[in-house]
Amino acid sequence: MTQEDEYFMGIALREAEAGLADGGLPIGAALVRDGELVASGCNQRVQAGDPIAHGEMDCLRKAGRQKTYRDTVLYTTLSPCMMCSGTIVQFGIPKVVVGEAENFDGNIDFLRERGVEVVLLDDEGCKDVMRRFLAKPGNDALWNEDIAED
């Protein structure tokens, strides 16, 4: 992990922790351009009652309109779901740094097959925040709702 990866994943992880503290799912993201933070966000599905307000989507909404995303890096604490992966491909984000894929393997292969560089950090902090969420009684149902599982 580079110092830059550590720094920006730290921002995404703080977003995940904030989402957890606010009663939501602990998934955070940060969008970076030329070593500068463009925006960060966290999963807002519970807080906003918005089914597509995943961490990556909240981050991109906060970034607002961009002329291009082809010069950005997206940091996310958890491997992206198909909706978020599709958005990454649609916007042409060339690189995604993933905190962990143990608690949810997401769609790393899908991204790589479409030319996105994916760096998997296997970060213990990212794993821990998700484990703490999943260990709380009742959160398994909330998690299944988030990833559209029965």
Side-chain angles (χ1 to χ4, degrees):
M1 179 179 341
T2 68
Q3 284 185 330
E4 187 169 292
D5 289 343
E6 186 175 348
Y7 177 75
F8 289 114
M9 188 55 71
I11 291 171
L13 185 54
R14 283 191 294 281
E15 287 281 355
E17 291 282 2
L20 181 62
D22 200 24
L25 288 101
I27 304 162
L31 185 68
V32 176
R33 174 181 286 120
D34 296 326
E36 298 288 327
L37 182 68
V38 175
S40 63
C42 67
N43 187 301
Q44 293 285 316
R45 289 186 73 253
V46 173
Q47 300 92 317
D50 181 346
I52 63 170
H54 286 197
E56 299 90 340
M57 304 301 258
D58 184 55
C59 176
L60 292 170
R61 280 187 177 135
K62 287 177 178 173
R65 291 177 57 197
Q66 301 288 313
K67 284 188 171 203
T68 185
Y69 294 87
R70 296 185 188 283
D71 58 352
T72 62
V73 178
L74 182 66
Y75 289 80
T76 180
T77 58
L78 188 66
S79 182
C81 72
M82 184 52 77
M83 175 180 67
C84 295
S85 295
T87 302
I88 290 163
V89 171
Q90 176 69 32
F91 286 177
I93 297 171
K95 181 177 179 181
V96 177
V97 180
V98 176
E100 68 110 340
E102 182 178 296
N103 287 295
F104 180 67
D105 61 358
N107 294 278
I108 290 173
D109 290 341
F110 172 86
L111 291 168
R112 286 180 174 151
E113 289 165 2
R114 281 147 186 86
V116 177
E117 178 186 353
V118 179
V119 177
L120 179 56
L121 298 180
D122 199 33
D123 183 81
E124 286 302 319
C126 294
K127 290 179 191 179
D128 177 64
V129 71
M130 196 64 190
R131 284 184 195 130
R132 285 185 280 130
F133 168 77
L134 292 171
K136 186 174 178 185
N139 279 356
D140 56 338
L142 185 58
W143 173 239
N144 287 339
E145 177 187 320
D146 191 71
I147 59 172
E149 295 287 329
D150 291 330

